[in-house]
């Protein structure tokens, strides 16, 4: 749940609508920042779930490794095609910069994973007109849409 900073009211319903919109209407190309070939990391499993639900995953990691059959890129700026959603698997201290980069490359939405919170980045991103979700996991949310 998030809180509307102008009214102080809970906005859980609009957050649920944003989750649904990102997962169903925003587009199917998901850049996953922090995704490597390390199978023990959460990003690896989440990427597999997104693929099973028809999303194209784009690994973004300094190592630029191929993951789940998809070539990796060292940064969002290196991705040579449009990205719809940027899914962020970096710690909260670095996440705001990634959200800013997502805006710069023309992404439509930003998704901060469980445990990733940056209220200032959320404000900047949504003020710029992008959808954004914080502290949630698309691999948990997408099966609920069925």
């Amino acid at each position: 749940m998030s809180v509307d900073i102008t009214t102080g009211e809970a906005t859980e319903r609009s957050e649920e609508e944003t989750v649904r919109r990102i997962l169903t209407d925003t587009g199917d190309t998901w850049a996953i920042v922090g995704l490597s070939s390390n199978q023990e990391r959460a990003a690896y499993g989440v990427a597999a779930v997104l693929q099973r639900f028809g999303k194209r995953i784009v690994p973004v990691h300094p190592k630029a490794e191929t993951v789940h059959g998809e070539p990796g890129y060292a940064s969002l700026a290196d991705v040579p095609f449009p990205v719809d959603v940027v899914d962020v698997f970096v710690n909260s201290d670095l996440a705001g910069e990634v959200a800013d980069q997502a805006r710069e490359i023309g992404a439509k939405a930003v998704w901060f994973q469980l445990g990733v919170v940056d209220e200032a980045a959320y404000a900047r991103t949504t003020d710029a007109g992008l959808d954004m979700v914080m502290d949630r996991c698309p691999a948990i949310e997408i099966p609920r849409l069925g």
Side-chain angles (χ1 to χ4, degrees), residues 62-133:
K63 293 180 182 179
E65 300 172 303
T66 295
V67 182
H68 297 303
E70 294 289 342
Y73 299 90
S75 71
L76 285 172
D78 292 335
V79 179
F81 47 81
V83 168
D84 300 310
V85 181
V86 174
D87 190 1
V88 182
F89 275 94
V90 300
N91 70 46
S92 296
D93 293 341
L94 302 173
E97 182 179 334
V98 176
D100 295 340
Q101 293 167 6
R103 196 174 63 248
E104 290 167 13
I105 67 161
K108 300 172 190 168
V110 176
W111 192 297
F112 280 9
Q113 281 294 326
L114 290 172
V116 180
V117 176
D118 182 331
E119 295 291 345
Y122 183 90
R124 287 193 310 272
T125 303
T126 56
D127 286 350
L130 282 71
D131 277 334
M132 185 164 176
V133 172

Coordinates of all heavy atoms in Angstrom, one line a residue, residues 62-133:
P62 N 26.4 -5.5 -15.1 CA 27.7 -5.2 -15.6 C 28.4 -6.3 -16.3 O 29.2 -6.0 -17.2 CB 28.5 -4.8 -14.3 CG 27.4 -4.3 -13.4 CD 26.2 -5.2 -13.7
K63 N 28.2 -7.6 -16.0 CA 28.8 -8.7 -16.7 C 28.2 -8.9 -18.1 O 28.7 -9.7 -18.9 CB 28.7 -10.0 -15.8 CG 29.5 -9.9 -14.5 CD 29.3 -11.2 -13.8 CE 30.0 -11.2 -12.5 NZ 29.8 -12.4 -11.7
A64 N 27.0 -8.4 -18.3 CA 26.3 -8.6 -19.6 C 26.2 -10.0 -20.0 O 26.5 -10.4 -21.2 CB 27.0 -7.7 -20.7
E65 N 25.8 -10.9 -19.1 CA 25.7 -12.3 -19.4 C 24.4 -12.7 -20.1 O 23.4 -12.0 -19.9 CB 25.7 -13.1 -18.1 CG 27.0 -12.9 -17.3 CD 26.9 -13.5 -15.9 OE1 25.9 -13.2 -15.1 OE2 27.7 -14.3 -15.6
T66 N 24.4 -13.7 -20.9 CA 23.2 -14.3 -21.5 C 22.5 -15.1 -20.3 O 23.1 -15.9 -19.7 CB 23.5 -15.2 -22.6 OG1 24.1 -14.4 -23.7 CG2 22.3 -15.9 -23.2
V67 N 21.2 -14.8 -20.2 CA 20.4 -15.5 -19.1 C 19.1 -15.9 -19.7 O 18.5 -15.1 -20.4 CB 20.2 -14.5 -17.9 CG1 19.4 -15.2 -16.8 CG2 21.5 -13.9 -17.4
H68 N 18.7 -17.1 -19.4 CA 17.5 -17.7 -20.0 C 17.4 -17.5 -21.5 O 16.3 -17.3 -22.0 CB 16.3 -17.1 -19.3 CG 16.1 -17.3 -17.8 ND1 16.1 -18.6 -17.3 CD2 16.1 -16.5 -16.8 CE1 16.0 -18.5 -16.0 NE2 16.0 -17.2 -15.6
G69 N 18.6 -17.6 -22.2 CA 18.6 -17.5 -23.6 C 18.6 -16.1 -24.2 O 18.6 -16.0 -25.4
E70 N 18.5 -15.1 -23.3 CA 18.5 -13.7 -23.8 C 19.8 -13.1 -23.5 O 20.4 -13.1 -22.4 CB 17.4 -13.0 -23.0 CG 16.0 -13.4 -23.3 CD 15.5 -13.1 -24.7 OE1 16.1 -12.2 -25.4 OE2 14.5 -13.7 -25.2
P71 N 20.4 -12.4 -24.5 CA 21.7 -11.7 -24.4 C 21.5 -10.6 -23.4 O 20.5 -9.9 -23.3 CB 22.0 -11.2 -25.8 CG 20.7 -11.1 -26.5 CD 19.8 -12.2 -25.9
G72 N 22.6 -10.4 -22.6 CA 22.6 -9.3 -21.6 C 23.3 -8.1 -22.1 O 24.1 -8.1 -23.0
Y73 N 23.1 -7.0 -21.3 CA 23.6 -5.7 -21.6 C 24.2 -5.1 -20.3 O 23.6 -5.4 -19.3 CB 22.6 -4.8 -22.2 CG 22.0 -5.3 -23.5 CD1 20.9 -6.1 -23.5 CD2 22.6 -5.0 -24.7 CE1 20.4 -6.7 -24.7 CE2 22.1 -5.5 -25.9 CZ 21.0 -6.4 -25.9 OH 20.6 -6.9 -27.1
A74 N 25.3 -4.4 -20.4 CA 26.0 -3.9 -19.3 C 25.2 -2.7 -18.6 O 25.3 -2.5 -17.4 CB 27.4 -3.4 -19.6
S75 N 24.3 -2.0 -19.3 CA 23.5 -0.9 -18.7 C 22.3 -0.8 -19.5 O 22.1 -1.3 -20.7 CB 24.3 0.4 -18.8 OG 24.4 0.8 -20.1
L76 N 21.3 -0.1 -19.0 CA 20.1 0.2 -19.7 C 20.4 1.0 -21.0 O 19.7 0.8 -22.0 CB 19.1 1.0 -18.8 CG 18.4 0.3 -17.7 CD1 17.6 1.2 -16.8 CD2 17.5 -0.8 -18.3
A77 N 21.3 1.9 -20.9 CA 21.6 2.7 -22.1 C 22.2 1.8 -23.3 O 22.1 2.2 -24.4 CB 22.7 3.8 -21.8
D78 N 22.7 0.7 -23.0 CA 23.3 -0.2 -24.0 C 22.2 -1.1 -24.7 O 22.5 -1.7 -25.7 CB 24.3 -1.2 -23.4 CG 25.5 -0.5 -22.9 OD1 25.9 0.6 -23.4 OD2 26.2 -1.0 -22.0
V79 N 21.0 -1.1 -24.2 CA 19.9 -1.9 -24.8 C 19.5 -1.2 -26.1 O 19.1 -0.1 -26.1 CB 18.7 -2.1 -23.8 CG1 17.6 -2.9 -24.5 CG2 19.2 -2.7 -22.5
P80 N 19.7 -1.9 -27.2 CA 19.5 -1.3 -28.5 C 18.0 -1.3 -29.1 O 17.8 -1.0 -30.2 CB 20.4 -2.1 -29.5 CG 20.3 -3.4 -28.9 CD 20.2 -3.3 -27.4
F81 N 17.1 -1.5 -28.2 CA 15.7 -1.5 -28.6 C 14.8 -1.0 -27.5 O 15.3 -0.9 -26.3 CB 15.2 -3.0 -29.0 CG 15.7 -4.0 -28.0 CD1 14.9 -4.3 -26.9 CD2 16.8 -4.8 -28.3 CE1 15.3 -5.2 -26.0 CE2 17.2 -5.8 -27.4 CZ 16.5 -6.0 -26.2
P82 N 13.6 -0.7 -27.7 CA 12.7 -0.1 -26.7 C 12.4 -1.1 -25.6 O 12.2 -2.3 -25.8 CB 11.4 0.3 -27.4 CG 11.8 0.4 -28.9 CD 12.9 -0.6 -29.1
V83 N 12.4 -0.6 -24.4 CA 12.1 -1.3 -23.2 C 10.8 -0.8 -22.6 O 10.7 0.4 -22.5 CB 13.3 -1.2 -22.1 CG1 12.8 -1.7 -20.8 CG2 14.5 -1.9 -22.6
D84 N 9.9 -1.7 -22.3 CA 8.6 -1.2 -21.7 C 8.7 -1.0 -20.2 O 8.2 0.0 -19.7 CB 7.5 -2.2 -22.0 CG 7.3 -2.4 -23.5 OD1 7.2 -1.4 -24.2 OD2 7.3 -3.5 -24.0
V85 N 9.2 -2.0 -19.5 CA 9.3 -2.0 -18.0 C 10.7 -2.2 -17.6 O 11.4 -3.1 -18.1 CB 8.4 -3.1 -17.4 CG1 8.4 -3.0 -15.9 CG2 6.9 -2.9 -18.0
V86 N 11.2 -1.5 -16.6 CA 12.5 -1.7 -16.0 C 12.2 -2.3 -14.6 O 11.6 -1.6 -13.7 CB 13.3 -0.4 -15.9 CG1 14.6 -0.7 -15.1 CG2 13.6 0.1 -17.3
D87 N 12.6 -3.5 -14.4 CA 12.4 -4.3 -13.1 C 13.8 -4.2 -12.4 O 14.8 -4.6 -12.9 CB 12.1 -5.7 -13.4 CG 11.6 -6.5 -12.3 OD1 11.6 -6.0 -11.1 OD2 11.3 -7.7 -12.4
V88 N 13.8 -3.6 -11.2 CA 15.0 -3.3 -10.5 C 15.3 -4.2 -9.3 O 14.6 -4.3 -8.3 CB 14.9 -1.8 -10.0 CG1 16.1 -1.4 -9.3 CG2 14.5 -0.9 -11.1
F89 N 16.4 -4.9 -9.5 CA 16.9 -5.8 -8.5 C 18.3 -5.4 -7.9 O 19.2 -6.1 -7.8 CB 17.2 -7.2 -9.1 CG 16.0 -8.1 -9.1 CD1 15.2 -8.1 -10.2 CD2 15.6 -8.9 -8.0 CE1 14.1 -9.0 -10.3 CE2 14.5 -9.7 -8.1 CZ 13.8 -9.8 -9.2
V90 N 18.3 -4.1 -7.6 CA 19.5 -3.5 -6.9 C 19.1 -3.0 -5.6 O 17.9 -2.8 -5.4 CB 20.2 -2.5 -7.8 CG1 20.7 -3.0 -9.1 CG2 19.4 -1.2 -8.0
N91 N 20.0 -2.7 -4.7 CA 19.6 -2.2 -3.4 C 19.0 -0.8 -3.5 O 19.3 -0.1 -4.4 CB 20.7 -2.4 -2.3 CG 21.9 -1.4 -2.6 OD1 21.7 -0.2 -2.8 ND2 23.1 -1.9 -2.5
S92 N 18.3 -0.5 -2.5 CA 17.6 0.8 -2.4 C 18.5 2.0 -2.7 O 18.1 3.0 -3.3 CB 16.8 1.0 -1.1 OG 15.8 -0.1 -1.0
D93 N 19.7 1.9 -2.2 CA 20.6 3.1 -2.4 C 21.0 3.3 -3.9 O 21.3 4.4 -4.2 CB 22.0 2.8 -1.6 CG 21.8 2.8 -0.1 OD1 20.8 3.3 0.4 OD2 22.7 2.2 0.5
L94 N 20.9 2.3 -4.7 CA 21.2 2.5 -6.1 C 19.9 2.5 -7.0 O 20.0 2.9 -8.2 CB 22.0 1.3 -6.6 CG 23.3 1.0 -5.8 CD1 24.0 -0.3 -6.3 CD2 24.3 2.2 -6.1
A95 N 18.8 2.2 -6.4 CA 17.6 2.1 -7.2 C 17.1 3.4 -7.9 O 16.6 3.4 -9.0 CB 16.5 1.5 -6.4
G96 N 17.3 4.5 -7.1 CA 16.8 5.8 -7.7 C 17.5 6.1 -9.0 O 16.9 6.6 -9.9
E97 N 18.8 5.9 -9.0 CA 19.6 6.1 -10.3 C 19.1 5.3 -11.4 O 18.9 5.7 -12.5 CB 21.1 5.8 -10.0 CG 21.9 6.1 -11.2 CD 23.4 5.9 -10.9 OE1 23.8 5.9 -9.8 OE2 24.1 5.6 -11.9
V98 N 18.7 4.0 -11.1 CA 18.2 3.1 -12.1 C 16.8 3.6 -12.6 O 16.5 3.7 -13.8 CB 18.1 1.7 -11.6 CG1 17.4 0.8 -12.7 CG2 19.5 1.1 -11.3
A99 N 16.0 4.1 -11.7 CA 14.7 4.7 -12.1 C 14.9 5.9 -13.0 O 14.2 6.1 -14.0 CB 13.9 5.1 -10.9
D100 N 15.9 6.7 -12.7 CA 16.2 7.9 -13.6 C 16.6 7.4 -14.9 O 16.2 8.0 -16.0 CB 17.2 8.8 -12.9 CG 16.7 9.4 -11.6 OD1 15.5 9.5 -11.4 OD2 17.6 9.8 -10.8
Q101 N 17.4 6.4 -15.0 CA 17.9 5.9 -16.3 C 16.7 5.3 -17.1 O 16.7 5.4 -18.3 CB 19.0 4.8 -16.1 CG 20.3 5.3 -15.5 CD 21.2 4.2 -15.0 OE1 20.9 3.0 -15.2 NE2 22.3 4.6 -14.4
A102 N 15.8 4.6 -16.4 CA 14.6 4.1 -17.1 C 13.8 5.2 -17.7 O 13.4 5.1 -18.9 CB 13.7 3.4 -16.0
R103 N 13.7 6.3 -17.1 CA 13.0 7.5 -17.6 C 13.8 8.0 -18.9 O 13.2 8.3 -19.9 CB 12.9 8.5 -16.6 CG 11.9 9.6 -16.9 CD 11.7 10.6 -15.7 NE 12.9 11.3 -15.4 CZ 13.6 11.2 -14.3 NH1 13.2 10.3 -13.3 NH2 14.7 11.8 -14.0
E104 N 15.1 8.0 -18.8 CA 15.9 8.5 -19.8 C 15.8 7.7 -21.1 O 15.9 8.2 -22.2 CB 17.4 8.7 -19.4 CG 17.6 9.8 -18.4 CD 19.0 9.7 -17.7 OE1 19.9 8.9 -18.1 OE2 19.1 10.4 -16.7
I105 N 15.7 6.4 -20.9 CA 15.6 5.5 -22.1 C 14.2 5.4 -22.7 O 14.0 4.7 -23.7 CB 16.2 4.1 -21.9 CG1 15.4 3.3 -20.9 CG2 17.7 4.2 -21.4 CD1 15.6 1.8 -20.9
G106 N 13.3 6.0 -22.0 CA 11.9 6.0 -22.5 C 11.0 4.8 -22.1 O 10.0 4.5 -22.7
A107 N 11.4 4.2 -21.0 CA 10.6 3.1 -20.5 C 9.2 3.7 -20.1 O 9.1 4.9 -19.7 CB 11.3 2.4 -19.3
K108 N 8.2 2.8 -20.0 CA 6.9 3.2 -19.7 C 6.6 3.0 -18.2 O 5.7 3.6 -17.6 CB 5.9 2.4 -20.5 CG 6.0 2.6 -22.0 CD 5.1 1.7 -22.7 CE 5.4 1.7 -24.2 NZ 4.7 0.6 -24.9
A109 N 7.4 2.1 -17.5 CA 7.1 1.8 -16.1 C 8.4 1.3 -15.5 O 9.3 0.8 -16.1 CB 6.0 0.7 -16.0
V110 N 8.4 1.5 -14.1 CA 9.5 1.0 -13.3 C 8.9 0.1 -12.2 O 7.9 0.5 -11.6 CB 10.3 2.2 -12.7 CG1 11.4 1.7 -11.7 CG2 10.9 3.1 -13.8
W111 N 9.6 -1.0 -11.9 CA 9.1 -1.9 -10.9 C 10.3 -2.1 -9.9 O 11.3 -2.7 -10.3 CB 8.7 -3.2 -11.5 CG 8.0 -4.1 -10.6 CD1 8.5 -4.7 -9.4 CD2 6.6 -4.6 -10.7 NE1 7.5 -5.4 -8.8 CE2 6.4 -5.4 -9.6 CE3 5.6 -4.4 -11.6 CZ2 5.1 -6.0 -9.4 CZ3 4.4 -5.0 -11.4 CH2 4.2 -5.8 -10.3
F112 N 10.1 -1.7 -8.7 CA 11.1 -2.0 -7.6 C 10.7 -3.2 -6.9 O 9.6 -3.4 -6.4 CB 11.2 -0.8 -6.6 CG 12.0 0.4 -7.0 CD1 12.5 0.6 -8.3 CD2 12.3 1.4 -6.1 CE1 13.2 1.7 -8.7 CE2 13.0 2.5 -6.5 CZ 13.5 2.7 -7.8
Q113 N 11.6 -4.2 -6.9 CA 11.4 -5.5 -6.3 C 11.1 -5.4 -4.8 O 11.3 -4.4 -4.1 CB 12.5 -6.4 -6.6 CG 12.5 -7.0 -7.9 CD 11.4 -7.9 -8.2 OE1 10.9 -8.6 -7.3 NE2 10.9 -7.9 -9.4
L114 N 10.7 -6.5 -4.2 CA 10.6 -6.6 -2.7 C 11.8 -6.1 -2.0 O 12.9 -6.5 -2.4 CB 10.3 -8.1 -2.3 CG 9.0 -8.7 -2.7 CD1 8.9 -10.2 -2.5 CD2 7.8 -8.0 -2.1
G115 N 11.6 -5.3 -1.1 CA 12.7 -4.7 -0.3 C 13.4 -3.5 -0.9 O 14.2 -2.9 -0.3
V116 N 13.0 -3.1 -2.1 CA 13.6 -2.0 -2.8 C 12.6 -0.8 -2.7 O 11.5 -0.8 -3.2 CB 13.9 -2.3 -4.3 CG1 14.6 -1.1 -4.9 CG2 14.9 -3.5 -4.4
V117 N 13.1 0.2 -1.9 CA 12.2 1.3 -1.6 C 13.0 2.6 -1.8 O 14.1 2.7 -1.2 CB 11.6 1.2 -0.2 CG1 10.8 2.5 0.1 CG2 10.7 0.0 -0.1
D118 N 12.5 3.6 -2.5 CA 13.1 4.9 -2.6 C 11.9 5.9 -2.9 O 11.5 6.0 -4.1 CB 14.1 4.9 -3.7 CG 14.8 6.3 -3.8 OD1 14.2 7.3 -3.5 OD2 16.0 6.3 -4.2
E119 N 11.4 6.5 -1.9 CA 10.2 7.4 -2.1 C 10.5 8.5 -3.0 O 9.6 8.9 -3.8 CB 9.7 7.9 -0.7 CG 9.2 6.8 0.2 CD 7.9 6.2 -0.2 OE1 7.2 6.7 -1.1 OE2 7.5 5.1 0.3
A120 N 11.7 9.1 -2.9 CA 12.0 10.2 -3.8 C 12.1 9.8 -5.3 O 11.6 10.5 -6.2 CB 13.4 10.8 -3.4
A121 N 12.6 8.6 -5.5 CA 12.6 8.1 -6.9 C 11.2 7.8 -7.4 O 10.9 8.1 -8.5 CB 13.5 6.8 -7.0
Y122 N 10.4 7.3 -6.5 CA 9.0 7.0 -6.8 C 8.3 8.4 -7.3 O 7.6 8.4 -8.3 CB 8.2 6.4 -5.6 CG 6.8 6.1 -5.9 CD1 6.5 4.8 -6.4 CD2 5.8 7.0 -5.7 CE1 5.1 4.5 -6.7 CE2 4.5 6.7 -6.0 CZ 4.1 5.4 -6.5 OH 2.8 5.1 -6.7
A123 N 8.5 9.4 -6.5 CA 7.9 10.7 -6.8 C 8.4 11.2 -8.2 O 7.6 11.7 -9.0 CB 8.2 11.7 -5.7
R124 N 9.7 11.2 -8.4 CA 10.3 11.7 -9.6 C 9.8 10.9 -10.8 O 9.4 11.4 -11.9 CB 11.8 11.5 -9.6 CG 12.6 12.5 -8.8 CD 14.1 12.5 -9.1 NE 14.7 11.2 -9.1 CZ 15.2 10.5 -8.1 NH1 15.2 11.1 -6.9 NH2 15.8 9.4 -8.2
T125 N 9.7 9.6 -10.7 CA 9.3 8.7 -11.8 C 7.8 8.9 -12.1 O 7.4 9.0 -13.3 CB 9.6 7.2 -11.4 OG1 11.0 7.1 -11.1 CG2 9.2 6.3 -12.5
T126 N 6.9 8.9 -11.1 CA 5.5 9.1 -11.3 C 5.2 10.5 -11.8 O 4.4 10.7 -12.7 CB 4.7 8.7 -10.1 OG1 5.1 9.4 -9.0 CG2 4.8 7.2 -9.8
D127 N 5.9 11.5 -11.3 CA 5.8 12.9 -11.7 C 6.1 13.0 -13.2 O 5.6 13.9 -13.9 CB 6.6 13.9 -10.9 CG 6.1 14.1 -9.5 OD1 4.9 13.7 -9.2 OD2 6.8 14.7 -8.7
A128 N 7.0 12.2 -13.7 CA 7.4 12.2 -15.1 C 6.4 11.4 -16.0 O 6.6 11.3 -17.2 CB 8.8 11.6 -15.3
G129 N 5.4 10.8 -15.4 CA 4.3 10.2 -16.1 C 4.5 8.7 -16.3 O 3.7 8.1 -17.0
L130 N 5.5 8.1 -15.6 CA 5.7 6.6 -15.7 C 4.9 6.0 -14.6 O 4.7 6.5 -13.5 CB 7.1 6.3 -15.6 CG 8.0 6.4 -16.8 CD1 8.3 7.9 -17.0 CD2 9.4 5.7 -16.5
D131 N 4.4 4.8 -14.9 CA 3.8 3.9 -13.8 C 5.0 3.4 -13.0 O 6.1 3.1 -13.5 CB 3.0 2.8 -14.4 CG 1.6 3.2 -14.8 OD1 1.1 4.1 -14.2 OD2 1.1 2.5 -15.6
M132 N 4.7 3.2 -11.7 CA 5.8 2.7 -10.8 C 5.2 1.9 -9.7 O 4.1 2.3 -9.1 CB 6.7 3.8 -10.3 CG 7.8 3.2 -9.5 SD 9.1 4.4 -9.2 CE 10.2 3.5 -8.2
V133 N 5.8 0.8 -9.3 CA 5.5 0.0 -8.2 C 6.7 -0.2 -7.4 O 7.8 -0.4 -7.9 CB 4.9 -1.4 -8.7 CG1 4.7 -2.4 -7.5 CG2 3.6 -1.2 -9.5

